[in-house]
Amino acid sequence: MHNQKRIRDYGVEIGYIKTGKLNAITDVTGVTVGHVTLSNGNMQTGVTAILPHAGDIFHNKLIASSHVINGFGKTMGTIQLAELGTLETPIVLTNTLNVGTAANAVIDYMLEKNPDIGSTTGTVNPVVGECNDMFLNDVRGRFVQEQHVRQALENCAVEFEEGAVGAGRGMLCYSLKGGIGSASRIVKLEHRDYTMGVLVLSNFGMLSDLTVSSNPIGKALKEKILQSHKEEDKGSVMIIVATDLPLSERQLNRILKRSVTGLSRTGSIITNGSGEIVLGFSTANKIPHAKTQQYLTIDTIHEEDMDEAFRAVGEATEEAVLNSLITAEAVIGRDGNERPALKELLEKFNLTL
């Protein structure tokens, strides 16, 4: 997107399920994404916002769920998400020490749009995910301000940049420059086609493990650039899953669990110090905030149709990670720390994927 060269432009096709038009999370109708990128010397960070639909999400909530693959993280909002199974705010991603700032901004955003919150009805559950960008960013500076979160929300659009942008500006992936990546798949069922979209904030993995469509390219790169460097995986990954499949919260949670297959195919072993958190929502059913006189009913697919969704989320997660790598640019940040870009190394060492 935005004329960026993505992993398929290098001749790499992940899986065999057809992609959506943009091959991005925004192929799910109504979903939009926005960034604010902060880049100046020791400041290499930002915000990425995901709007689940264009309407009033507090009064028209979505079926949602979360799954913790490895819990080394500080995500906010997942307790209520797991208990009630609904999403009532945008999802915001940023660095670890700016979670509180982002939550305040989301609360202000929701209060402004909904004067009844905390007055004539209950409060609101902001959902904020994070990864630690302290290698390239002076995370102690807490550079992200509430106005940056608001700008990211206002910037949300169907087409968006990937790589070292927004929350992904200071992130590392497989010891290279990582960040934001996205992909989608079309889930074909008997009665109609649906879309499964994934967005990742990639900040995990060791170079020697990097695998691209069964090609252990990380080993070749490690021999050339990291011979004397001790690798440690102390990062994280946020995986955001959106779909228009009609699902219950339980079914959605089953799908979120399968995202780990995509991570594993890129080489991840889910290390001790890496937090892997998955958040997901379905746009198919709107859950009213206010009780109505009628029973609440939702549409769901049959369990026998779940396998195609399982495959789709794995393929989209794998490709989203690879897109986050291949679209990222090299960044020099805090104390002169730097991480190279995969696309530049491929050209420098005449390697192919």
Side-chain angles (χ1 to χ4, degrees):
M1 294 179 292
H2 285 286
N3 298 316
Q4 290 180 290
K5 193 173 180 182
R6 306 172 84 199
I7 198 68
R8 288 183 177 244
D9 298 313
Y10 290 80
V12 177
E13 293 195 9
I14 301 301
Y16 55 80
I17 301 179
K18 181 181 177 182
T19 73
K21 181 180 178 181
L22 294 174
N23 194 14
I25 193 172
T26 50
D27 285 322
V28 178
T29 301
V31 178
T32 52
V33 174
H35 303 300
V36 165
T37 303
L38 305 176
S39 178
N40 185 7
N42 288 347
M43 179 174 64
Q44 302 294 333
T45 192
V47 181
T48 295
I50 301 99
L51 281 179
H53 68 67
D56 180 354
I57 192 169
F58 183 75
H59 291 98
N60 296 284
K61 307 179 197 299
L62 298 181
I63 296 291
S65 186
S66 64
H67 174 61
V68 178
I69 301 171
N70 189 50
F72 207 122
K74 289 82 178 170
T75 304
M76 180 179 288
T78 55
I79 294 175
Q80 182 171 310
L81 205 65
E83 182 69 22
L84 300 184
T86 56
L87 178 68
E88 60 185 20
T89 72
I91 297 172
V92 169
L93 306 176
T94 189
N95 71 70
T96 305
L97 296 189
N98 273 127
V99 169
T101 301
N104 282 339
V106 172
I107 291 170
D108 284 346
Y109 175 83
M110 296 301 295
L111 291 178
E112 180 180 307
K113 291 182 174 295
N114 301 276
D116 54 334
I117 293 176
S119 176
T120 58
T121 190
T123 56
V124 69
N125 182 50
V127 178
V128 180
E130 56 76 34
C131 290
N132 185 350
D133 58 9
M134 63 180 286
F135 183 78
L136 293 175
N137 175 54
D138 178 10
V139 72
R140 291 172 60 93
R142 292 180 285 177
F143 300 114
V144 173
Q145 302 298 310
E146 292 183 25
Q147 66 263 27
H148 299 135
V149 180
R150 175 59 69 98
Q151 289 168 16
L153 289 163
E154 293 172 349
N155 290 342
C156 283
V158 171
E159 294 200 33
F160 58 95
E161 285 189 84
E162 296 170 285
V165 294
R169 180 61 189 176
M171 304 301 172
L172 319 178
C173 189
Y174 288 108
S175 305
L176 307 175
K177 190 65 195 70
I180 299 293
S182 193
S184 70
R185 292 295 185 271
I186 302 299
V187 180
K188 291 184 174 292
L189 300 184
E190 292 178 2
H191 50 290
R192 57 160 285 191
D193 294 350
Y194 296 93
T195 303
M196 182 78 66
V198 171
L199 179 144
V200 301
L201 175 61
S202 68
N203 191 47
F204 69 98
M206 297 182 288
L207 182 57
S208 54
D209 290 329
L210 175 60
T211 303
V212 178
S213 191
S214 301
N215 176 6
I217 189 71
K219 291 181 179 178
L221 287 172
K222 185 176 186 301
E223 291 174 359
K224 296 180 180 296
I225 67 171
L226 287 175
Q227 297 95 331
S228 60
H229 177 70
K230 180 183 178 182
E231 292 187 275
E232 291 183 290
D233 183 1
K234 293 185 177 181
S236 295
V237 61
M238 292 295 311
I239 304 171
I240 312 301
V241 178
T243 186
D244 56 5
L245 277 164
L247 302 166
S248 67
E249 183 274 336
R250 177 189 57 79
Q251 288 176 321
L252 178 58
N253 189 260
R254 295 186 70 202
I255 291 171
L256 302 188
K257 290 176 180 178
R258 270 66 178 188
S259 62
V260 72
T261 63
L263 288 183
S264 296
R265 285 197 293 267
T266 67
S268 174
I269 63 168
I270 320 297
T271 62
N272 172 66
S274 180
E276 283 81 14
I277 312 296
V278 194
L279 307 175
F281 58 88
S282 166
T283 62
N285 294 288
K286 301 294 192 299
I287 309 300
H289 175 72
K291 179 183 176 182
T292 64
Q293 295 301 314
Q294 294 77 32
Y295 289 117
L296 186 62
T297 61
I298 63 171
D299 295 326
T300 65
I301 64 173
H302 293 283
E303 301 301 319
E304 289 78 4
D305 291 328
M306 293 288 284
D307 283 349
E308 195 71 4
F310 292 163
R311 183 180 296 276
V313 76
E315 286 189 11
T317 300
E318 179 181 4
E319 187 160 352
V321 170
L322 298 179
N323 279 333
S324 76
L325 278 162
I326 205 66
T327 58
E329 63 189 53
V331 170
I332 300 174
R334 179 176 70 87
D335 299 330
N337 292 340
E338 59 184 304
R339 274 296 180 262
L342 175 58
K343 58 188 175 185
E344 296 170 3
L345 294 178
L346 294 175
E347 182 177 352
K348 178 179 180 179
F349 298 116
N350 194 30
L351 295 172
T352 59
L353 297 174

Coordinates of all heavy atoms in Angstrom, one line a residue, residues 1-4 6 8 19-28 31-32 157-160 162 182-186 195 198 319 323:
M1 N 0.8 -1.2 0.0 CA 0.0 0.0 0.0 C 0.9 1.3 0.0 O 2.0 1.2 0.4 CB -0.9 0.0 1.2 CG -2.0 -1.1 1.1 SD -3.1 -1.1 2.6 CE -1.9 -1.6 3.8
H2 N 0.3 2.4 -0.4 CA 1.1 3.6 -0.6 C 2.3 3.3 -1.5 O 3.4 3.9 -1.2 CB 1.4 4.2 0.7 CG 0.3 4.9 1.4 ND1 -0.2 6.1 1.1 CD2 -0.4 4.5 2.5 CE1 -1.2 6.4 1.9 NE2 -1.4 5.5 2.7
N3 N 2.1 2.5 -2.5 CA 3.2 2.1 -3.4 C 4.4 1.5 -2.8 O 5.6 1.6 -3.3 CB 3.6 3.4 -4.2 CG 2.5 3.9 -5.0 OD1 1.8 3.2 -5.7 ND2 2.3 5.2 -5.0
Q4 N 4.3 0.9 -1.6 CA 5.4 0.2 -1.0 C 5.6 -1.2 -1.6 O 4.6 -1.8 -2.0 CB 5.1 0.1 0.5 CG 5.2 1.4 1.3 CD 4.9 1.2 2.8 OE1 3.8 0.8 3.2 NE2 5.9 1.3 3.6
R6 N 6.0 -4.9 -1.2 CA 5.7 -5.8 -0.1 C 6.2 -7.2 -0.5 O 6.9 -7.4 -1.5 CB 4.2 -5.9 0.1 CG 3.6 -4.5 0.3 CD 2.1 -4.5 0.3 NE 1.5 -4.9 1.6 CZ 0.3 -5.3 1.8 NH1 -0.5 -5.4 0.8 NH2 -0.1 -5.6 3.0
R8 N 5.1 -10.0 -1.5 CA 4.7 -10.6 -2.8 C 5.4 -10.0 -4.0 O 5.5 -10.7 -5.0 CB 3.2 -10.6 -2.9 CG 2.4 -11.5 -2.0 CD 1.0 -11.5 -2.2 NE 0.4 -12.5 -1.2 CZ -0.2 -13.6 -1.6 NH1 -0.4 -13.9 -2.9 NH2 -0.7 -14.5 -0.7
T19 N -6.1 -13.6 -1.4 CA -6.0 -12.4 -0.5 C -7.2 -11.5 -0.9 O -7.8 -11.6 -1.9 CB -4.7 -11.6 -0.7 OG1 -4.7 -11.0 -2.0 CG2 -3.5 -12.6 -0.6
G20 N -7.4 -10.5 0.0 CA -8.4 -9.4 -0.3 C -7.8 -8.5 -1.2 O -6.6 -8.6 -1.6
K21 N -8.6 -7.5 -1.6 CA -8.1 -6.5 -2.6 C -6.8 -5.8 -2.3 O -5.9 -5.7 -3.1 CB -9.2 -5.5 -2.9 CG -8.9 -4.4 -3.9 CD -10.1 -3.4 -4.1 CE -9.7 -2.4 -5.1 NZ -10.8 -1.4 -5.3
L22 N -6.7 -5.3 -1.0 CA -5.5 -4.6 -0.6 C -4.5 -5.6 0.1 O -3.4 -5.2 0.5 CB -5.9 -3.5 0.4 CG -6.7 -2.3 -0.3 CD1 -7.1 -1.3 0.8 CD2 -5.9 -1.6 -1.3
N23 N -5.0 -6.8 0.4 CA -4.2 -7.7 1.2 C -3.8 -7.1 2.5 O -2.7 -7.0 3.0 CB -2.9 -8.2 0.5 CG -2.3 -9.4 1.1 OD1 -2.9 -10.0 2.0 ND2 -1.0 -9.6 0.7
A24 N -4.8 -6.5 3.2 CA -4.6 -5.8 4.5 C -5.8 -5.9 5.4 O -6.9 -6.3 4.9 CB -4.4 -4.3 4.2
I25 N -5.7 -5.6 6.6 CA -6.8 -5.7 7.6 C -8.0 -4.8 7.2 O -9.1 -5.2 7.5 CB -6.3 -5.3 9.0 CG1 -7.3 -5.7 10.1 CG2 -5.9 -3.8 9.1 CD1 -6.8 -5.5 11.5
T26 N -7.7 -3.8 6.4 CA -8.8 -2.9 6.0 C -9.6 -3.5 4.8 O -10.6 -2.8 4.4 CB -8.2 -1.5 5.6 OG1 -7.1 -1.7 4.7 CG2 -7.8 -0.8 6.9
D27 N -9.3 -4.7 4.4 CA -10.2 -5.4 3.5 C -11.5 -5.8 4.1 O -12.5 -6.1 3.5 CB -9.5 -6.6 2.9 CG -8.5 -6.3 1.8 OD1 -8.7 -5.3 1.0 OD2 -7.4 -6.9 1.8
V28 N -11.5 -5.8 5.5 CA -12.7 -6.0 6.2 C -13.5 -4.7 6.2 O -13.0 -3.7 6.7 CB -12.4 -6.5 7.7 CG1 -13.7 -6.7 8.5 CG2 -11.6 -7.8 7.7
V31 N -13.3 -1.3 8.6 CA -12.0 -1.2 9.4 C -11.1 -0.2 8.8 O -10.8 -0.2 7.5 CB -11.3 -2.5 9.5 CG1 -10.0 -2.4 10.3 CG2 -12.3 -3.5 10.2
T32 N -10.5 0.8 9.5 CA -9.5 1.7 9.1 C -8.3 1.8 10.0 O -8.5 1.4 11.2 CB -10.1 3.1 8.9 OG1 -10.8 3.5 10.1 CG2 -11.1 3.1 7.7
A157 N -7.7 5.5 7.8 CA -8.1 5.4 6.4 C -8.0 3.9 6.0 O -7.4 3.1 6.7 CB -7.2 6.3 5.5
V158 N -8.5 3.6 4.8 CA -8.5 2.3 4.3 C -7.1 1.9 3.9 O -6.6 0.8 4.1 CB -9.5 2.1 3.1 CG1 -9.3 0.8 2.4 CG2 -10.9 2.3 3.6
E159 N -6.4 2.8 3.3 CA -5.0 2.6 2.9 C -4.0 3.2 3.9 O -4.3 4.4 4.3 CB -4.7 3.1 1.4 CG -5.5 2.3 0.4 CD -4.9 2.5 -1.0 OE1 -3.6 2.6 -1.1 OE2 -5.6 2.5 -2.0
F160 N -3.0 2.5 4.2 CA -2.1 3.0 5.2 C -0.7 2.4 5.0 O -0.5 1.5 4.3 CB -2.5 2.6 6.6 CG -2.7 1.1 6.8 CD1 -1.7 0.4 7.4 CD2 -3.9 0.5 6.5 CE1 -1.8 -1.0 7.6 CE2 -4.0 -0.9 6.7 CZ -3.0 -1.6 7.2
E162 N 3.0 0.7 5.9 CA 3.6 -0.4 6.7 C 5.0 -0.1 7.0 O 5.7 0.8 6.5 CB 3.4 -1.7 6.0 CG 1.9 -2.1 5.8 CD 1.8 -3.3 4.9 OE1 2.0 -3.2 3.7 OE2 1.5 -4.4 5.4
S182 N 0.6 -6.0 7.5 CA -0.8 -6.4 7.4 C -0.9 -7.4 6.3 O -0.1 -7.4 5.3 CB -1.7 -5.2 7.3 OG -3.0 -5.5 7.5
A183 N -2.0 -8.1 6.3 CA -2.4 -9.1 5.2 C -3.8 -9.5 5.4 O -4.4 -9.3 6.5 CB -1.4 -10.3 5.2
S184 N -4.4 -10.1 4.4 CA -5.8 -10.6 4.5 C -6.0 -11.8 3.7 O -5.2 -12.2 2.8 CB -6.8 -9.5 4.1 OG -6.7 -9.3 2.7
R185 N -7.1 -12.5 4.0 CA -7.4 -13.7 3.3 C -9.0 -13.8 3.1 O -9.7 -13.3 3.9 CB -7.0 -15.0 4.0 CG -5.5 -15.2 4.1 CD -4.9 -15.5 2.7 NE -3.5 -15.8 2.8 CZ -2.5 -14.9 2.7 NH1 -2.8 -13.6 2.7 NH2 -1.2 -15.2 2.7
I186 N -9.4 -14.3 2.0 CA -10.8 -14.5 1.7 C -11.2 -15.9 2.2 O -10.6 -16.9 1.7 CB -11.1 -14.4 0.2 CG1 -10.7 -13.0 -0.3 CG2 -12.6 -14.6 -0.1 CD1 -11.4 -11.8 0.4
T195 N -14.0 -12.1 4.9 CA -12.7 -11.6 4.9 C -12.1 -11.8 6.3 O -12.7 -11.5 7.3 CB -12.6 -10.2 4.5 OG1 -13.2 -10.0 3.2 CG2 -11.2 -9.7 4.4
V198 N -5.5 -9.2 9.2 CA -4.5 -9.2 10.3 C -3.6 -8.0 10.2 O -3.1 -7.6 9.1 CB -3.7 -10.5 10.4 CG1 -2.5 -10.4 11.4 CG2 -4.5 -11.7 10.7
E319 N 2.1 -13.6 6.7 CA 2.4 -12.6 5.7 C 2.5 -11.2 6.3 O 3.3 -10.4 5.8 CB 1.4 -12.7 4.6 CG 1.7 -11.8 3.4 CD 1.0 -12.2 2.1 OE1 0.3 -13.2 2.0 OE2 1.1 -11.4 1.1
N323 N 5.6 -8.7 5.8 CA 5.4 -7.4 5.2 C 5.9 -6.3 6.2 O 6.5 -5.3 5.7 CB 3.9 -7.1 5.0 CG 3.4 -7.7 3.7 OD1 4.2 -7.9 2.7 ND2 2.1 -8.0 3.6

